[in-house]
Amino acid sequence: MSSMPAGDGAAGRSDGRGESSDERADRNWEEMMQELRVMQTGTQILTGFLLAVAFQPLFQELTESQRVLYILLVLLAATATILALAPVGMHRVLFGRRRKTELVHAANRIVKANLVVIAAVTVGVTMLIIDVTFTRTFALIAGGAGILAIICLWVLWPLFLRRRR
């Protein structure tokens, strides 16, 4: 029996659902698709915002460092979009070939990588906006606070909850 993504009943452990490995792979795939829908919506909103910024009259007033950050954020947003759509493309290629367990494992890695990219885009966009509208110092403080919040909410708290179980 192949191991499933962490938290979904690894090999040799029962999660109490009484599922076959195929049923578990199907359930994990459906749950991951729901997560990807949320990711795609957030990524589309951020990407749309970033693309619109370049066409605003005040864009020419950005400093060199703000423009570099802007371009980096556009590239990260495009990367997030590609990563969010990758499992769907993989599914199309592997559909009907009884490779769902492998697909779930690969997609799980992609989703984890995309969370890192989305975190970077979210913090970066916040920093850019605060840098442009207020000061660089407050942008850096907001960026640090955003990184801290993401680490606490996306990593530390789930690890704490997993250990409590």
Side-chain angles (χ1 to χ4, degrees):
M1 184 165 147
S2 298
S3 65
M4 297 307 295
D8 288 332
R13 281 189 309 182
S14 172
D15 62 4
R17 294 179 186 265
E19 304 171 310
S20 69
S21 60
D22 286 343
E23 289 169 332
R24 181 175 293 130
D26 287 341
R27 177 179 54 81
N28 284 332
W29 178 254
E30 289 304 316
E31 289 178 11
M32 195 171 315
M33 287 296 99
Q34 291 300 326
E35 293 171 4
L36 285 167
R37 285 182 186 100
V38 172
M39 282 182 165
Q40 288 170 351
T41 301
T43 301
Q44 288 170 346
I45 291 168
L46 281 173
T47 302
F49 163 76
L50 286 168
L51 295 177
V53 167
F55 299 101
Q56 301 303 312
L58 295 178
F59 184 77
Q60 298 303 318
E61 295 180 25
L62 294 181
T63 66
E64 185 67 25
S65 62
Q66 290 168 337
R67 281 195 180 136
V68 168
L69 178 57
Y70 170 79
I71 293 300
L72 177 64
L73 292 171
V74 169
L75 293 172
L76 284 171
T79 300
T81 300
I82 291 166
L83 288 172
L85 294 173
V88 176
M90 293 169 56
H91 183 261
R92 284 295 92 210
V93 171
L94 296 174
F95 184 77
R97 298 190 186 267
R98 303 191 53 78
R99 308 271 301 272
K100 183 75 67 84
T101 299
E102 292 172 74
L103 177 61
V104 168
H105 286 294
N108 182 51
R109 287 187 210 103
I110 290 169
V111 167
K112 287 178 181 178
N114 202 21
L115 282 171
V116 173
V117 173
I118 290 170
V121 172
T122 303
V123 170
V125 165
T126 302
M127 290 177 65
L128 179 62
I129 291 169
I130 293 172
D131 188 26
V132 169
T133 60
F134 205 54
T135 68
R136 172 104 7 116
T137 300
F138 283 112
L140 293 170
I141 291 169
I147 291 168
L148 184 61
I150 287 167
I151 290 170
C152 288
L153 294 171
W154 294 7
V155 179
L156 298 179
W157 193 6
L159 287 174
F160 171 75
L161 292 175
R162 186 163 74 179
R163 285 188 183 150
R164 261 182 70 193
R165 186 172 184 218

